[in-house]
Amino acid sequence: MPLVRPGETCRIALLRKTLRSKLLYPVILCKGEVFMNCTGKVTDEIIWVGGNDRRLNLFENAYPIPRGVSYNAYVVLDEENVLVDTVDKAISDLFLENLEAALSGRTLKYIIVQHMEPDHAATLVRVCERYPEAKVIASAKAAVMMGQFFGDALKDRIQPVAEGDVLETGRHQFTFAMAPMVHWPEVMVTYEKTTKTLFSADAFGTFGALSGVLFADEVDFERDWLDDARRYYTNIVGKYGAPVQALLKKAAGLDIALLCPLHGPIWRNSIGWFVEKYQQWSTCTPEEDGVLIAYASVYGHTENAAEVLAMDLRAMGVKKIALYDVSVTHPSYIVSDAFRFSKLAFLSATYNSGIFPAMETLLLDLKAHALKQRTVALAENGSWAPTAAKQMREILSGMQNLQLLDGAVSIRSSLNAGTREQLREMARQLAEA
């Protein structure tokens, strides 16, 4: 039996509402067609119209996201209605249904584009086709990128804005602030004065799909989300600490009641706690006094040295230790903990007269992300010509404010009494640093 008989009038067949997140799940049946939408109420006039992707394996085709990712977009209802950003093409059909449901027959006057990366702008042309009267609000640099991505499709729709420009839509007032290199050069953020909402683009985002919640205070964020938030920041934005600092200074002058990023939960409580995390990460200030140990081992002897080092550190009172095999752990996780901890130890087998490839990739990644202000110890292994430590030092010496401990433990095949004692001394220096 068909869901709708021919000629049946359009009606809402199902409406479920979760008490905590205020998510709406209507199924609209109209002339035999089924429309699905899933929108969330942020305030009476701000509606989340984004979606989640749990099938994507690699964010930006680079970073594993085992918990998926959310793509956030927001509708602000007013005398003139506003859409803040769009979404990735992977969820474009759902997004367009969400947008239509949120507007409920109203017109769309403005589309604010804060960031041109395709995971937020790929559906822009489709939205403009559906709402031909809508103007596109964006920075001048974003306008140029629209031409690069879409040709002339939007050239007559774009209304560029600059720092401090204001858009009034009735009850709401949007002020635009440029945020270049957080993390692309065209990025801007938007402050809505009436609701005290900062639409923060990619700033304050995190990996992870939203599983029936919208707000950070509906989950144990520190336990379940902070690692993903740190890994997101350090790998996506981490290199650009100075631009993030500039944005934080702008945000410090605002009265913010809602923080709405483009990925992850929305903040309405404890905003200062999360902002302080960004303060630490963007200045490369360690969150915790602890030691990250990363090792590259072929037959287990360098791994054994790393395990021994960890045990020595523990015996010397170091309570927080993260131990990684670089061959089995994606570097994004290790980069994240390098930002987290105050001290680092890298142990690498010599391979083809150089650094083991996975270790070299990690070190170059840390250099590319501009890590600084850490104490670093090195160890190498080689059965006939250990050279990894020298080459690791060359990479690390080009990074700012790293304190490289003198010397390096040089293991010949496996630990002996002499190198075992050197490893204990390395642990002592790290523990006391």
Side-chain angles (χ1 to χ4, degrees), residues 320-372:
K320 295 186 177 180
I321 301 167
L323 185 62
Y324 291 106
D325 182 339
V326 299
S327 295
V328 297
T329 303
H330 191 274
S332 66
Y333 292 92
I334 309 176
V335 168
S336 178
D337 268 353
F339 274 75
R340 177 183 177 186
F341 291 118
S342 56
K343 304 157 192 176
L344 316 173
F346 301 109
L347 298 81
S348 178
T350 299
Y351 199 83
N352 286 334
S353 300
I355 310 168
F356 191 84
M359 178 63 77
E360 185 175 25
T361 296
L362 170 63
L363 296 178
L364 291 173
D365 224 5
L366 289 170
K367 185 175 182 179
H369 286 87
L371 183 68
K372 57 186 177 182

Side-chain angles (χ1 to χ4, degrees), residues 18-131:
T18 66
L19 295 177
R20 296 187 67 197
S21 64
K22 300 180 180 177
L23 287 177
L24 309 178
Y25 299 87
V27 181
I28 303 174
L29 307 181
C30 184
K31 295 183 180 179
E33 296 179 280
V34 178
F35 296 88
M36 296 293 296
N37 59 71
C38 176
T39 62
K41 185 177 179 181
V42 181
T43 71
D44 288 340
E45 296 179 326
I46 301 176
I47 302 173
W48 177 84
V49 292
N52 298 287
D53 190 345
R54 294 178 178 83
R55 295 185 176 185
L56 185 67
N57 293 317
L58 295 174
F59 186 80
E60 294 187 347
N61 211 25
Y63 307 108
I65 46 172
R67 299 203 307 152
V69 68
S70 73
Y71 301 112
N72 300 339
Y74 307 90
V75 165
V76 183
L77 299 176
D78 205 337
E79 295 172 20
E80 297 177 324
N81 300 299
V82 178
L83 170 64
V84 182
D85 288 303
T86 65
V87 300
D88 188 87
K89 65 181 180 181
I91 62 164
S92 58
D93 290 340
L94 171 64
F95 165 68
L96 292 170
E97 295 289 350
N98 288 349
L99 179 56
E100 184 176 353
L103 290 171
S104 298
R106 303 175 183 92
T107 59
L108 181 64
K109 182 64 175 180
Y110 297 104
I111 306 165
I112 296 174
V113 177
Q114 301 185 111
H115 183 22
M116 274 303 299
E117 199 166 5
D119 60 332
H120 304 299
T123 51
L124 180 57
V125 171
R126 290 188 66 183
V127 174
C128 288
E129 289 171 347
R130 285 201 175 196
Y131 301 93

Side-chain angles (χ1 to χ4, degrees), residues 145-157:
M145 288 188 180
M146 287 178 199
Q148 296 171 186
F149 279 108
F150 308 127
D152 293 335
L154 302 176
K155 68 175 183 177
D156 297 326
R157 306 280 293 273

Side-chain angles (χ1 to χ4, degrees), residues 153-176:
L154 302 176
K155 68 175 183 177
D156 297 326
R157 306 280 293 273
I158 304 170
Q159 183 175 315
V161 292
E163 181 77 25
D165 283 355
V166 176
L167 173 68
E168 294 187 354
T169 60
R171 296 176 299 279
H172 298 90
Q173 185 182 92
F174 299 85
T175 302
F176 306 105

Side-chain angles (χ1 to χ4, degrees), residues 2 14 54 67 149 198 202 231 241 247 330 371 385 390 402 409 422:
L14 176 64
R54 294 178 178 83
R67 299 203 307 152
F149 279 108
L198 180 63
D202 266 352
R231 190 164 65 92
L247 178 58
H330 191 274
L371 183 68
K390 178 182 177 181
L402 290 187
V409 176
Q422 291 175 30

